[in-house]
Amino acid sequence: MGSDKNKLLDAYRRMKSIREFEERIHVENTTGEIPGFVHLYAGQEAIATAVCKHLKDSDYIGSTHRGHGHSIAKGCDINGMMAEIYGKKNGLCAGKGGSMHIADFEKGMLGANAIVGGNPPLVIGAALTAKVQGTDGVAVSFSGDGASNQGTTFESMNMAVVLQLPVVFIFENNGYGEGTGCDYAVGAESIAQRAEGFGLPAVQVDGTDFFAVEAAAKEAINRARTGQGPSAIEAVAMRFYGHFEGDPQAYRSAEELTQLRETGDCLKIFRDKVEAGKHVTKADLDQIDQEVKSVIDSAVKAAREADFPTKDDLLTDVYVSY
Amino acid sequence: MGSDKNKLLDAYRRMKSIREFEERIHVENTTGEIPGFVHLYAGQEAIATAVCKHLKDSDYIGSTHRGHGHSIAKGCDINGMMAEIYGKKNGLCAGKGGSMHIADFEKGMLGANAIVGGNPPLVIGAALTAKVQGTDGVAVSFSGDGASNQGTTFESMNMAVVLQLPVVFIFENNGYGEGTGCDYAVGAESIAQRAEGFGLPAVQVDGTDFFAVEAAAKEAINRARTGQGPSAIEAVAMRFYGHFEGDPQAYRSAEELTQLRETGDCLKIFRDKVEAGKHVTKADLDQIDQEVKSVIDSAVKAAREADFPTKDDLLTDVYVSY
Amino acid sequence: MTQKTIREALNDALRQEMRRDNNVIILGEDVAGGHGGTGVIDAYGGPLGVTKGLIGEFGANRVIDTPITESAIMGAAAGAAATGLRPIAELMFVDFMGVCFDQIFNQAAKFRYMFGGKTRTPMVIRTTIGAGMRTAAQHSQCLYHMFTSVPGLKCVMPSNAYDAKGLLIEAIRDDDPVIFFENKLLYDHACDVPDESYAIPFGEANVVREGHDITIVAFSRMVHIAEEAAKTLASEGISVEVIDPRTTSPLDEETILESVEKTGRLVVVDESAARCGMAADIAGLVAEKGFSSLKGPIIQITPPHTPVPFSPPLEDAFIPSAATVVAGVHRLLK
Amino acid sequence: MTQKTIREALNDALRQEMRRDNNVIILGEDVAGGHGGTGVIDAYGGPLGVTKGLIGEFGANRVIDTPITESAIMGAAAGAAATGLRPIAELMFVDFMGVCFDQIFNQAAKFRYMFGGKTRTPMVIRTTIGAGMRTAAQHSQCLYHMFTSVPGLKCVMPSNAYDAKGLLIEAIRDDDPVIFFENKLLYDHACDVPDESYAIPFGEANVVREGHDITIVAFSRMVHIAEEAAKTLASEGISVEVIDPRTTSPLDEETILESVEKTGRLVVVDESAARCGMAADIAGLVAEKGFSSLKGPIIQITPPHTPVPFSPPLEDAFIPSAATVVAGVHRLLK
Ligand SMILES: Cc1ncc(C[n+]2csc(CCOP(=O)(O)OP(=O)(O)O)c2C)c(N)n1
Ligand SMILES: Cc1ncc(C[n+]2csc(CCOP(=O)(O)OP(=O)(O)O)c2C)c(N)n1
Ligand SMILES: [Mg+2]
Ligand SMILES: [Mg+2]
């Protein structure tokens, strides 16, 4: 019972951390202090959180250009992430990667990836390591609806089936790849159905419903962990913001944009469900909101104050030895 | 009736021409006069022939490393092909391409292709031309079972569905990609089923049965020609020879190799069917055998006697202008 | 004449050529944008706004939004070019060439030769290059050296709006596959650009600035860096000739060699690569064909042999700057 | 010591390293062959026979046949390398890089830098290069200049069996991604090769032949062409030093520069590309850092700027030959 409650609170904290992280970057980005492109995950928090809940540090995930949520869900240090996004030397990647390349191998985070379709081949490699070494490790690939059309993604699914790799392909269908609708760009009936044609179990779930994703992910990850091969999950949830910060989003109707947070907010939906249950109170959740806020506050503060790398760092870490 | 007979005789002549062409190269290759790699199409003749029967010169096909059959079926000049395979200046590609790059744009033959998965993207381009120009042109991509796993092939199917292009994807499942079985390398239930998941009609047919392929191709090509979008056909028929000439084929059992011509010979099967009918006699077909033999004889003779290109040709035709 | 940015000049060129020839089409990701979903069509007009408005005039049959599927895009363009269209395919960032290079370098580039001269592949690939936008290792590369090394491709990289328009029109009319490299940092760069249509032939370098002490050959945005350095050097009494080859393939060897004959000294400023890059290519050319004119070593100013870093101070140190060019010249004259 | 072919030497290296370290695995198309279908496993042992017998000793868990799906192969190797294995991935012909380059140059090569030094990617890509087998434009390229230009990759190209074994062992033990280029025409080339295991460090050129009139730098099979030319030239009284850098990245600049200091003359013989190729790279290096030693132009002997033609007389004219090298030297000494 207590453990149930803790699990719910943990899940909420993760989701809320992602939301707060992204909302805050949305604001801070306007100051001009954050270099380069940022792609926010707000709206999709339930997906990363519910999937990564079933993973250990020794399991791996591969992510996308929209990687903050996956990173937080997998346990990356929030201060290190924020510092990285600000291009600071104490960032998770020493300031060399930035938002699109956050990685933390200690936490099994194989990296955000700025190439659409870039991570699935890498993720099957992590799964191959588990298979060859005979561990019970699992690897999870997160891809968007847009990335689901990329050749690399298809190849990875087939190879995973052929080699029966312990891998799960998560397709986050947020309706758009940049400014192009998924209903236009995906020729198939659904991403899940197309994946199923590759010979792996595939389901479509409501990505705003933490519990729906959790159940599907549990089954798929368990399948992988017990040597029963790969699976795919299509989780549908819209992003709250533009493709990148600054995107005017003319490809979305005003109606869609206003409805988003009313009907598609996974945090609200989660709250409604758990507050109706008996373990968790509104006060518990409100308290987490406060705590998360202060965590993000101090992460931003620290990141802003941290030092940039210096010219000397330019030439290091290209090779292990050269 | 007479026209029925002529169609049957034409089909037989095409198939027999391919068979004789390949059998003869199989023999001539041992003289050392044929440079480079050759991949023979013998055993799969019914597929190319039945498909190309429905195409006009203004329709396009894209082919593979195993392209002789497709070329002959699409109407390429046999003398020009043979000269090309021998590396001669009067070859279809002036000796610069060879067996793996035979092309003839006048005949709608977009080229053999030495990159597995190389042709599907090009073929959707030919289909795009037809769509943009508003002609009723159709484009057909031939790929092997091995090529069906390549990312480029998947991408092309999705794009064809999205843009509703007049294209047909033919997958020739001959059981192997080099030395690896299709049953191993294709993770899906079948190539056709996986294609269907992309949102296009797909069927599997017996590729040794000319009439089965013909019917499926007719439907698919008609669909494309009338603006109803892309289709896929998986046609199953084994190759008689190794992956390339010289391949010892240890990946096939002795039993499989001996049974091939007994049960899987599309020419025999065709003969049995049409000789049982009323239009065509054994004598008609025997006569074609003779005629084809002399056509191939003289093609080989001419190719052997033709001139090689000279050093001056090395630098020409890299660009239209430079 | 009106002042136009490179973005506007390119839009001009596309529009004029599409009006002129119905076979000219555009395809790529979000070249219009807004297909599917709930919003408006032409929501993007190209990720960087270059193709804005074209779908309105030419329709979805000629301005074609595609899925994210670069091999299919490049292949479709090549196949369409070989069968009668003149496609302009967009590769959003040149960094993405790794998922579609085969269709470019093994297919489109080699058709004509492999097929014995019997085909033409009049396609243009428009793509963006260049560091400086803090977009890190996978969105900041130049990579044109790789394309330049491929026989059968033509490579074009305008440094200003006038050239951008004239070179793009030439590219569209050209019967060979052309890769057109647009530097992301130059889109808002403006100069006088005629409204009417004009073409600039390939393989003709632009002598951006005349001088007699030293020749600097520079490409794309580096032309501006070189000019900046030249100004500083002029104030020290050093007279620099700055050459912008505009196309690397074909390359105007003559203008470069003549300049070096005059100055006796060469610095190449290039953002593509420290190894096997355009700087080495030009250096190698002059070390062979212009050796007798040389009074000193050929200096290559390039980024270091590292990926492009994200953090601003690192990225700034990565890109050749006027200061590093000036330092290179000083080294040479010492 | 026994005479071994390069094919045998490579097989040796693979077997010894796989015995030494269970994390070393092999993956690729038909690296064993015979999976599925009706015949026997290890039917191929690699398309060119290099991995023959390994599946028998190490099993299908470590010698992994894959579908034809190069992006998935290269990506799987990179992902496996980053998570604890030491994969050796086979890219059957380097010409196929166009369907998988992203996983090599944007992913594997950049991991360490992008991720701030926190990861290692100890993978080897074995691939085949070279014209001369009449395999035409898409199966005959060298392309190592493109890989050499990519920061984060190491590029190795042995010219003989001794080097092949030692360099492959080094490559497998190296913690960075290494591309190992095997010339198709050299597989049967044999020399004395120790049975025991040994590693040859990267970045150390081999002075194949000493001389004092002229330096020839050559790569892979071109080393043998250079040696042949050197013999002819010796008979004319011209003393040639032939240098085989063995790895282009890292490159042993020192040995090259020292040799040119001695001879004052440089010819580079390279099959990769006429533009932005290895020949230009070496020429550029010496034109900058060895200029003061130079007594004449730097001659590049490369194929012309054309795809590789199929027909034997054309292909023979395409590949640098001893005769063209000799002619180049004569031109230089004139
Ligand atoms: C190979 C490649 N093509 C194109 C892009 C540009 N790009 C970045 S994100 C993106 C959209 C991706 O859509 P989706 O996979 O649905 O992910 P989402 O942004 O919706 O999370 C595009 C086209 C890229 N980074 N890489
Ligand atoms: C991209 C690429 N990968 C690998 C190869 C080597 N290769 C040539 S043919 C072939 C097998 C193709 O199998 P399939 O598609 O079934 O055609 P088939 O040979 O059976 O006609 C392979 C692996 C290639 N040419 N191109
Ligand atoms: Mg999306
Ligand atoms: Mg096959």
Side-chain angles (χ1 to χ4, degrees):
Chain A
M1 195 71 83
S3 109
D4 269 3
K5 175 170 177 166
N6 284 344
K7 279 189 190 155
L8 290 172
L9 294 181
D10 275 359
Y12 183 74
R13 185 184 301 274
R14 280 285 147 104
M15 289 198 284
K16 185 69 188 183
S17 298
I18 300 172
R19 175 68 54 86
E20 191 70 25
F21 191 93
E22 299 295 60
E23 298 277 18
R24 186 63 181 270
I25 288 183
H26 178 68
V27 173
E28 297 298 335
N29 191 55
T30 60
T31 66
E33 271 174 289
I34 296 177
F37 292 157
V38 265
H39 306 83
L40 302 183
Y41 191 71
Q44 301 173 222
E45 294 86 346
I47 304 171
T49 307
V51 170
C52 293
K53 181 174 177 295
H54 302 287
L55 300 177
K56 310 180 230 174
D57 282 358
S58 53
D59 295 324
Y60 284 98
I61 65 166
S63 169
T64 68
H65 57 288
R66 198 176 302 289
H68 305 169
H70 308 131
S71 304
I72 293 175
K74 194 66 176 54
C76 294
D77 176 53
I78 283 181
N79 290 311
M81 286 178 59
M82 193 65 84
E84 186 59 35
I85 290 166
Y86 273 82
K88 298 304 174 74
K89 173 143 184 165
N90 63 336
L92 270 182
C93 304
K96 283 177 171 161
S99 168
M100 292 197 289
H101 303 294
I102 289 173
D104 188 349
F105 281 64
E106 308 266 290
K107 293 288 179 186
M109 167 60 186
L110 271 179
N113 205 311
I115 300 297
V116 170
N119 89 63
L122 301 168
V123 169
I124 63 170
L128 185 62
T129 298
K131 186 186 172 202
V132 170
Q133 294 185 338
T135 68
D136 70 349
V138 171
V140 174
S141 160
F142 290 95
S143 300
D145 50 288
S148 82
N149 299 316
Q150 194 68 294
T152 50
T153 308
F154 295 124
E155 289 190 12
S156 302
M157 287 197 287
N158 184 57
M159 183 111 125
V161 174
V162 170
L163 301 181
Q164 283 294 296
L165 297 176
V167 60
V168 179
F169 298 94
I170 309 284
F171 293 104
E172 297 186 68
N173 183 347
N174 62 7
Y176 298 90
E178 283 198 2
T180 297
C182 168
D183 50 340
Y184 173 82
V186 173
E189 197 66 37
S190 76
I191 296 172
Q193 205 166 307
R194 186 168 62 187
E196 200 171 16
F198 280 76
L200 74 185
V203 293
Q204 193 188 55
V205 298
D206 178 355
T208 65
D209 179 353
F210 173 86
F211 300 99
V213 181
E214 192 197 22
K218 184 177 178 179
E219 193 179 328
I221 290 169
N222 185 51
R223 195 178 287 131
R225 211 180 286 292
T226 54
Q228 299 173 76
S231 316
I233 297 170
E234 175 183 3
V236 183
M238 309 300 272
R239 54 169 154 79
F240 284 179
Y241 294 106
H243 170 60
F244 56 94
E245 282 306 273
D247 177 5
Q249 300 196 73
Y251 52 86
R252 299 172 99 170
S253 66
E255 206 178 20
E256 180 185 334
L257 282 169
T258 54
Q259 277 198 349
L260 270 180
R261 296 202 185 221
E262 284 161 34
T263 60
D265 185 342
C266 58
L267 279 167
K268 256 194 208 158
I269 293 168
F270 184 90
R271 266 189 170 249
D272 288 351
K273 285 208 175 159
V274 300
E275 286 176 19
K278 51 189 162 186
H279 303 310
V280 171
T281 66
K282 183 171 178 305
D284 291 334
L285 302 173
D286 287 347
Q287 194 193 326
I288 289 178
D289 286 356
Q290 286 313 312
E291 288 166 12
V292 164
K293 196 176 168 324
S294 88
V295 168
I296 303 295
D297 270 348
S298 73
V300 168
K301 188 161 181 297
R304 293 179 66 180
E305 286 168 3
D307 289 334
F308 281 109
T310 60
K311 276 190 189 181
D312 295 340
D313 298 313
L314 177 61
L315 302 182
T316 59
D317 290 328
V318 181
Y319 297 91
V320 177
S321 63
Y322 197 61
Chain B
M1 197 70 82
S3 111
D4 268 3
K5 175 170 179 167
N6 284 343
K7 279 189 189 155
L8 290 172
L9 293 181
D10 275 359
Y12 184 75
R13 187 184 301 276
R14 280 286 146 104
M15 289 197 285
K16 185 70 190 181
S17 298
I18 299 172
R19 174 69 53 87
E20 190 71 25
F21 192 93
E22 299 295 59
E23 298 276 19
R24 187 62 180 272
I25 288 182
H26 178 69
V27 173
E28 298 296 336
N29 190 55
T30 61
T31 67
E33 271 174 289
I34 297 177
F37 291 158
V38 266
H39 307 84
L40 302 182
Y41 192 71
Q44 303 173 220
E45 294 87 347
I47 304 171
T49 306
V51 170
C52 293
K53 180 174 177 297
H54 303 288
L55 300 177
K56 311 180 233 176
D57 281 357
S58 53
D59 296 323
Y60 284 98
I61 65 165
S63 168
T64 68
H65 57 288
R66 197 176 302 289
H68 304 168
H70 308 131
S71 304
I72 293 175
K74 193 68 176 55
C76 293
D77 176 54
I78 283 180
N79 291 311
M81 286 178 59
M82 194 65 85
E84 187 59 36
I85 290 166
Y86 274 82
K88 298 303 174 75
K89 173 145 183 162
N90 64 336
L92 269 183
C93 303
K96 283 178 173 161
S99 167
M100 291 197 290
H101 303 293
I102 289 173
D104 188 349
F105 281 64
E106 309 264 290
K107 293 288 179 188
M109 167 60 186
L110 271 179
N113 206 310
I115 300 297
V116 170
N119 90 64
L122 301 168
V123 169
I124 64 169
L128 185 62
T129 298
K131 186 187 172 200
V132 170
Q133 294 185 336
T135 69
D136 70 349
V138 170
V140 174
S141 159
F142 290 96
S143 300
D145 49 290
S148 83
N149 298 318
Q150 194 69 292
T152 51
T153 308
F154 295 124
E155 289 190 13
S156 302
M157 287 197 287
N158 184 56
M159 183 111 127
V161 174
V162 170
L163 301 180
Q164 283 294 297
L165 298 175
V167 60
V168 179
F169 298 94
I170 309 284
F171 293 104
E172 298 187 68
N173 183 348
N174 63 7
Y176 297 90
E178 286 199 0
T180 297
C182 168
D183 50 341
Y184 174 80
V186 173
E189 197 67 35
S190 76
I191 295 172
Q193 204 166 308
R194 186 168 61 186
E196 200 172 17
F198 280 76
L200 75 184
V203 293
Q204 193 189 54
V205 298
D206 178 354
T208 65
D209 179 355
F210 173 86
F211 300 100
V213 181
E214 191 196 25
K218 184 176 179 181
E219 194 180 327
I221 290 169
N222 186 51
R223 194 177 290 131
R225 211 181 284 296
T226 55
Q228 298 172 77
S231 316
I233 297 170
E234 175 183 2
V236 183
M238 308 301 272
R239 54 170 154 78
F240 283 180
Y241 295 106
H243 170 60
F244 57 94
E245 283 305 274
D247 177 3
Q249 299 195 75
Y251 51 86
R252 298 172 99 172
S253 66
E255 206 177 21
E256 180 185 333
L257 282 169
T258 53
Q259 276 199 350
L260 269 181
R261 296 200 185 224
E262 282 161 35
T263 60
D265 185 342
C266 58
L267 279 166
K268 255 194 207 159
I269 292 168
F270 183 91
R271 265 188 171 249
D272 287 350
K273 285 210 173 158
V274 301
E275 285 175 18
K278 51 191 163 190
H279 303 309
V280 170
T281 65
K282 182 170 179 308
D284 292 333
L285 301 174
D286 287 348
Q287 196 193 324
I288 290 178
D289 286 356
Q290 286 313 311
E291 289 166 11
V292 164
K293 196 176 170 323
S294 89
V295 167
I296 302 297
D297 270 348
S298 73
V300 169
K301 189 161 181 295
R304 294 179 65 178
E305 287 168 3
D307 289 334
F308 281 109
T310 60
K311 275 189 190 184
D312 295 340
D313 298 312
L314 177 62
L315 302 182
T316 59
D317 290 328
V318 181
Y319 297 91
V320 177
S321 64
Y322 197 61
Chain C
M1 281 229 263
T2 27
Q3 285 258 326
K4 283 178 190 155
T5 63
I6 288 190
R7 182 182 289 106
E8 291 160 350
L10 294 171
N11 188 278
D12 250 29
L14 294 169
R15 190 181 300 273
Q16 289 173 356
E17 287 304 294
M18 290 188 82
R19 284 183 185 160
R20 188 173 167 270
D21 183 348
N22 284 331
N23 284 320
V24 177
I25 64 157
I26 291 176
L27 73 166
E29 295 157 18
D30 289 305
V31 290
H35 279 96
T38 57
V40 302
I41 299 291
D42 210 18
Y44 272 31
L48 295 150
V50 173
T51 46
K52 190 84 189 168
L54 298 177
I55 196 169
E57 179 166 351
F58 303 105
N61 202 40
R62 291 181 61 201
V63 179
I64 303 167
D65 273 341
T66 68
I68 306 169
T69 181
E70 283 82 5
S71 280
I73 297 168
M74 296 304 140
T83 57
L85 297 182
R86 303 186 84 84
I88 303 163
E90 188 163 314
L91 179 61
M92 203 182 293
F93 289 76
V94 76
D95 311 69
F96 309 161
M97 58 86 89
V99 296
C100 60
F101 196 40
D102 186 71
Q103 292 295 326
I104 302 170
F105 99 106
N106 267 336
Q107 311 295 342
K110 295 184 169 61
F111 279 173
R112 187 167 176 79
Y113 194 78
M114 285 192 307
F115 301 157
K118 290 203 195 110
T119 184
R120 296 171 182 241
T121 311
M123 70 188 275
V124 180
I125 299 171
R126 288 185 44 245
T127 191
T128 66
I129 59 169
M133 290 196 20
R134 322 316 191 187
T135 47
Q138 295 173 340
H139 277 68
S140 307
Q141 299 166 89
C142 282
L143 302 179
Y144 42 71
H145 61 291
M146 295 194 189
F147 295 86
T148 300
S149 79
V150 177
L153 298 181
K154 292 177 176 169
C155 298
V156 183
M157 54 212 71
S159 66
N160 63 64
Y162 179 87
D163 287 357
K165 178 168 175 178
L167 290 168
L168 183 53
I169 289 175
E170 177 79 7
I172 296 169
R173 295 180 189 172
D174 194 282
D175 277 338
D176 292 308
V178 178
I179 326 279
F180 196 88
F181 299 91
E182 303 168 10
N183 194 300
K184 297 189 282 291
L185 272 76
L186 291 180
Y187 276 117
D188 293 320
H189 193 271
C191 69
D192 280 342
V193 177
D195 289 328
E196 57 274 18
S197 174
Y198 59 97
I200 299 175
F202 293 163
E204 296 192 5
N206 184 19
V207 180
V208 172
R209 179 190 181 101
E210 298 201 3
H212 47 79
D213 291 329
I214 194 157
T215 301
I216 300 186
V217 174
F219 301 90
S220 186
R221 188 164 87 85
M222 291 301 110
V223 173
H224 302 283
I225 300 292
E227 283 189 87
E228 209 185 313
K231 274 183 210 142
T232 306
L233 291 162
S235 72
E236 301 172 9
I238 302 168
S239 162
V240 176
E241 182 144 303
V242 177
I243 296 177
D244 172 3
R246 300 196 285 205
T247 62
T248 57
S249 180
L251 177 71
D252 183 352
E253 299 189 352
E254 214 174 288
T255 299
I256 295 169
L257 293 170
E258 276 171 17
S259 177
V260 176
E261 206 178 316
K262 178 171 67 175
T263 63
R265 293 191 174 82
L266 176 64
V267 172
V268 194
V269 187
D270 175 52
E271 200 186 319
S272 70
R275 300 290 315 281
C276 300
M278 275 315 303
D281 186 74
I282 303 297
L285 165 73
V286 174
E288 179 154 359
K289 298 192 186 163
F291 182 78
S292 58
S293 324
L294 285 173
K295 297 181 207 151
I298 301 172
I299 306 281
Q300 299 180 36
I301 306 286
T302 69
H305 185 64
T306 75
V308 185
F310 167 66
S311 188
L314 298 183
E315 194 183 32
D316 291 343
F318 174 90
I319 308 170
S321 66
T324 52
V325 175
V326 168
V329 170
H330 286 164
R331 224 177 333 135
L332 176 49
L333 292 173
K334 214 175 41 196
Chain D
M1 283 230 262
T2 27
Q3 285 258 327
K4 283 178 190 156
T5 63
I6 287 191
R7 181 181 288 105
E8 291 160 348
L10 294 171
N11 188 277
D12 250 27
L14 293 169
R15 190 181 300 273
Q16 289 173 356
E17 286 305 294
M18 290 187 80
R19 284 183 186 161
R20 189 173 166 270
D21 182 348
N22 283 332
N23 284 320
V24 177
I25 63 158
I26 291 176
L27 74 166
E29 295 156 19
D30 288 307
V31 290
H35 280 97
T38 57
V40 301
I41 299 291
D42 210 18
Y44 271 31
L48 295 150
V50 174
T51 45
K52 191 84 188 169
L54 297 178
I55 196 170
E57 178 165 352
F58 303 105
N61 202 41
R62 291 180 62 199
V63 179
I64 303 167
D65 273 341
T66 69
I68 306 169
T69 184
E70 283 82 4
S71 281
I73 297 168
M74 296 305 141
T83 56
L85 297 183
R86 304 187 84 86
I88 302 162
E90 187 164 313
L91 179 61
M92 203 183 291
F93 290 75
V94 75
D95 311 68
F96 309 160
M97 58 87 89
V99 296
C100 60
F101 196 40
D102 186 70
Q103 292 295 327
I104 301 170
F105 98 107
N106 267 336
Q107 312 294 343
K110 295 184 169 61
F111 279 173
R112 186 167 176 79
Y113 194 78
M114 286 192 306
F115 300 157
K118 292 203 195 109
T119 183
R120 297 170 180 241
T121 312
M123 68 188 276
V124 180
I125 299 172
R126 289 184 44 243
T127 191
T128 67
I129 58 170
M133 289 199 17
R134 320 319 189 188
T135 47
Q138 295 173 342
H139 277 67
S140 306
Q141 298 166 89
C142 283
L143 301 179
Y144 43 71
H145 60 292
M146 295 194 188
F147 294 86
T148 300
S149 79
V150 176
L153 298 181
K154 292 177 176 170
C155 298
V156 183
M157 54 210 71
S159 66
N160 63 65
Y162 179 86
D163 287 356
K165 178 168 175 180
L167 290 168
L168 183 52
I169 288 174
E170 178 79 5
I172 296 169
R173 295 181 189 172
D174 195 281
D175 276 338
D176 292 307
V178 177
I179 327 279
F180 195 89
F181 298 91
E182 303 168 10
N183 194 300
K184 297 189 281 290
L185 273 78
L186 292 181
Y187 276 117
D188 293 320
H189 194 271
C191 69
D192 280 341
V193 176
D195 289 328
E196 57 274 17
S197 175
Y198 59 97
I200 299 175
F202 293 164
E204 295 192 6
N206 184 19
V207 180
V208 173
R209 178 189 182 103
E210 298 201 4
H212 47 77
D213 292 329
I214 194 156
T215 301
I216 299 185
V217 174
F219 301 90
S220 186
R221 189 164 87 85
M222 291 301 109
V223 173
H224 302 282
I225 300 293
E227 283 189 270
E228 208 184 312
K231 274 183 211 139
T232 307
L233 291 162
S235 72
E236 300 173 10
I238 302 168
S239 161
V240 176
E241 181 143 305
V242 178
I243 295 177
D244 172 3
R246 300 196 284 204
T247 63
T248 58
S249 181
L251 176 71
D252 182 352
E253 300 189 351
E254 214 175 290
T255 300
I256 296 169
L257 292 169
E258 275 170 18
S259 176
V260 175
E261 206 180 316
K262 177 172 66 175
T263 63
R265 293 191 175 83
L266 175 64
V267 172
V268 193
V269 188
D270 175 52
E271 199 186 319
S272 71
R275 300 290 314 282
C276 299
M278 274 317 303
D281 186 73
I282 302 297
L285 164 74
V286 174
E288 180 155 356
K289 298 191 186 165
F291 182 78
S292 58
S293 324
L294 284 172
K295 296 180 206 152
I298 301 171
I299 306 282
Q300 299 180 37
I301 306 286
T302 70
H305 185 64
T306 75
V308 185
F310 167 66
S311 189
L314 298 183
E315 194 184 32
D316 291 343
F318 173 91
I319 307 170
S321 66
T324 52
V325 175
V326 168
V329 170
H330 287 163
R331 223 177 332 136
L332 175 50
L333 292 173
K334 212 173 47 196

